[in-house]
Structure formats: C-alpha cells, structure tokens
Amino acid sequence: MHFVMRSDATDRDVGDVVARLEAIGAEPRVSSGRSRVVIGAEVLSPSDLADLAAIEKVVDGPVRLVERQIEDEPTLIRVGSVTIGDGSLTMVAGPCAVESRDQLFASAEAVQAAGAQILRGDAFKPRTSPYSFQGLGEAGLELLAEARETFGMPFVAEVIDPRDVALVAEYADIIRIGSRNMSNFPLLREVGRTRRPVQLKRGFTATVDEWLDAAEYIYAEGNHEVILVERGIRTFENAARNTLDITAVPVVQRRSHLPVFVDPSHAAGKRELVAPLALAAVAAGADGLMIDVHPAPDEALVDGAQALLPEEFADLMHRIRAVAAALAEA
Ligand code: PEP
Ligand code: MN
C-alpha cells in the first residue's frame, strides 16, 4: 500500500502519517521525490487514515516517484554547461575503458572536435572473465580528471563496487551503473546517497518495470538526477551482441520524467551496426547517445570491435545532426 502525499504536504504532515502508521503497527518507508513524498506500508484498512487530509491518494499497487503518474515535470540535469533532458540531444563519447594517457587524450580530443559534450571512459570495468583487464582504478580516474581540465569536458565513469562509490563520485561528473549491476540494490542505494547525476543502464535481461524499479532505488534515496540508458537486451536473436530495444525509448519517455539515452555501441557489439542504431535512436527521440570511440580499436583492451575510429565518429555526428535537424523541421 502506498500513501501518496499532496504536493503541498509539510514535513509535519508526513510525520503525522508516519506516526499514525506506527501506531497501528505498520512499518512506514518514506521516499521523497522533488514535489511529493510517498509512504509505503503494509496496512489492512487504509480508511483508518482517511482523516489525514495531506494524503492525496492511496494506491494499492506499484508506485514510483520516477513515473509521471507521481511527478510530471521533466527532469533536467545540468552537468557543466550541458543541460540533459531539455529536448536537446546530449552526445557522450569516448573509449570503453581508460587504458593510457595517450589513448584517453587522443579519444577526448577527437570526440570533442566532432561535437561530443561529455567524455566517457571507465576506470573500473565489470568483465565477464576475472582474467580480463579490469581497469586502471584510481589512476584511471586521475587521467579522466586531467582530460576534463585539458578539454573542458565533463566525464562519466562506471562504478561497480559500493566501496568505490565515494571515490568515483569525487572524480566523475556523472556516475554510471552498468547493465550487470542494474539490480545490485546496495550499489543503487549507495549512488542514491551521493549528489552526483547517475546514468543507469538497463539490465540486459530487465523489463522496463524492473528498470524503473532500479531507478526508484536511486531516486528514493534523494538523488533525483537519474539518466536511463537503453543498451540492448538479450533475446533469441544473436546477429548482434544484443537487441537494441528502440521501443523502450518512447515507452519509457511516456512513463517517466527521466531522460532516456541510448548506447548503440554496447547494443551492437559490432562497429558497422553502431551508426544505423544511433540514427534510429535519434529519430525515436532519445535524449542522448553514448558511443564508444577509440583511436586504435584493434589495440583496444576492451570492446574494440564496437569502437568507432575518430573519423567514423565525426562522420556519424554529421548524420546525427542531419537527422536531428530534419526532426526539428518536421
Ligand atoms: C560500458 O558502457 O562500458 C558497459 C560495460 O556497458 P554495459 O553495462 O551496458 O554492458
Ligand atoms: Mn564496453
């Protein structure tokens, strides 16, 4: 059972509902959104609280602050001079992993010249095999911070361990939760306690509802700057690494006020599929794209097969702008 408070409810009103619930033996869980508080509790007769006028409605089913059903204003996220979620297209690009200073700087220079606003590059990699390159750790974050200074680009980096959240939040402008960790609830809560924007990738076997529930874990902790990233799901089709669920873009944008990005690189797993998927994502109305770019993909320690060369990325950016301009005129 969920008690959805009116948007003008005060802390005292919330306290009154909590006290009443405790008095009848329930264990209230309070979650605060931007404009509303939702209180979850197992209650047999919610009519016992009918006299508390600050309760707007009682919902016997899933309620999520990340859904428009509760909060309707679009979530705008400001990172440096970039505003995410305002109807413009945000471009994030860079290597999958930080491998060296030269590799990172060459990538940053190239993606910035082509028009990307935010740099990607990971210092902690969730690898399928424990024997694969795991990332440079803090040294990688230091290189990213140096690249931010040099190129004036904010960066996003993944965190895979709750014990590293404070460290990654100290360096990164945006923290990312990867597909494999979408349901790592302690990690979600931990990033929810930071005040850094979070990119939440869709689990590769997660439904939209499960993805929104994961976002709710972050949001309900008080971190309201969540970006959802569709990165392909596992289906029976194995022509590409994953199947990009383009449908999820309009589905989630209708249901949620959070910005929705698409990562065509991790969906495709193959360089030649990245451009068509990226263009489809723009046409579908994605709020942003995140694309792997590497100066020498054949030498990449991670995900080289899907990384675009700098000139391929520059060419794609021209085509992305053309699609975006055509949509704006349509
Ligand atoms: C990544 O973006 O580098 C990554 C690991 O992607 P995903 O979590 O979507 O697999
Ligand atoms: Mn990768």
Side-chain angles (χ1 to χ4, degrees), residues 96 120 125 241 266 292 302-303 306:
C96 181
R120 69 154 288 156
K125 293 305 306 177
R241 182 152 88 180
H266 288 80
D292 280 13
V302 189
D303 284 348
Q306 71 196 30

Side-chain angles (χ1 to χ4, degrees), residues 25-311:
E27 288 175 17
R29 297 174 300 279
V30 178
S31 301
S32 301
R34 283 173 308 179
S35 60
R36 251 173 237 286
V37 169
V38 171
I39 305 170
E42 316 315 323
V43 177
L44 289 179
S45 51
S47 54
D48 291 353
L49 286 84
D51 59 306
L52 296 172
I55 298 175
E56 186 173 281
K57 56 182 172 180
V58 181
V59 182
D60 187 11
V63 165
R64 299 182 186 97
L65 292 161
V66 299
E67 293 211 45
R68 293 185 187 275
Q69 156 203 35
I70 301 294
E71 298 205 281
D72 199 23
E73 287 290 300
T75 293
L76 301 184
I77 301 174
R78 291 190 181 80
V79 181
S81 60
V82 183
T83 302
I84 297 167
D86 65 353
S88 63
L89 179 73
T90 303
M91 290 299 305
V92 183
C96 181
V98 180
E99 297 167 10
S100 68
R101 192 172 186 283
D102 285 352
Q103 171 252 15
L104 180 65
F105 277 51
S107 308
E109 189 174 5
V111 301
Q112 184 180 51
Q117 300 129 298
I118 300 175
L119 180 64
R120 69 154 288 156
D122 290 337
F124 295 100
K125 293 305 306 177
R127 303 307 302 282
T128 305
S129 164
Y131 306 116
S132 304
F133 173 65
Q134 306 284 314
L136 298 180
E138 187 167 3
L141 294 171
E142 276 169 9
L143 290 172
L144 285 157
E146 214 190 299
R148 171 175 51 208
E149 286 302 303
T150 307
F151 300 99
M153 286 180 98
F155 73 85
V156 53
E158 179 160 355
V159 66
I160 61 177
D161 186 327
R163 293 168 295 189
D164 292 327
V165 168
L167 178 76
V168 178
E170 186 188 318
Y171 283 93
D173 301 279
I174 305 176
I175 312 174
R176 194 172 69 253
I177 300 289
S179 186
R180 284 156 197 78
N181 275 314
M182 188 208 81
S183 304
N184 183 339
F185 303 118
L187 184 61
L188 297 174
R189 283 194 201 277
E190 204 59 42
V191 298
R193 292 188 196 112
T194 73
R195 288 299 170 266
R196 284 276 181 231
V198 179
Q199 269 189 341
L200 176 64
K201 285 200 150 181
R202 180 180 182 177
F204 53 79
T205 60
T207 62
V208 164
D209 278 324
E210 289 162 341
W211 191 16
L212 293 175
D213 277 333
E216 188 79 4
Y217 265 90
I218 302 170
Y219 204 88
E221 287 294 328
N223 187 344
H224 301 150
E225 300 195 310
V226 181
I227 302 160
L228 298 165
V229 186
E230 161 62 38
R231 48 76 75 207
I233 51 176
R234 198 169 267 188
T235 67
F236 57 82
E237 180 53 70
N238 58 10
R241 182 152 88 180
N242 294 282
T243 300
L244 179 64
D245 182 10
I246 203 83
T247 312
V249 176
V251 165
V252 175
Q253 283 176 333
R254 273 163 199 273
R255 282 185 51 187
S256 175
H257 48 81
L258 299 175
V260 181
F261 281 21
V262 169
D263 174 347
S265 306
H266 288 80
K270 294 179 187 171
R271 180 172 311 120
E272 63 274 20
L273 300 178
V274 172
L277 297 185
L279 296 170
V282 177
D287 295 284
L289 295 183
M290 182 159 73
I291 296 182
D292 280 13
V293 177
H294 195 290
D298 292 345
E299 291 159 27
L301 298 179
V302 189
D303 284 348
Q306 71 196 30
L308 299 185
L309 280 160
E311 54 270 31

Side-chain angles (χ1 to χ4, degrees), residues 3-23:
F3 299 86
V4 180
M5 302 298 289
R6 290 164 48 109
S7 57
D8 59 359
T10 61
D11 288 351
R12 190 168 167 177
D13 293 328
V14 173
D16 288 347
V17 175
V18 167
R20 183 74 68 82
L21 287 166
E22 284 173 349

Side-chain angles (χ1 to χ4, degrees), residues 89 91 114 278-280 282-283 289 313-330:
L89 179 73
M91 290 299 305
L279 296 170
V282 177
L289 295 183
F313 180 65
D315 179 59
L316 174 58
M317 283 297 292
H318 285 300
R319 298 166 68 198
I320 284 172
R321 286 198 196 93
V323 171
L327 285 171
E329 279 166 22

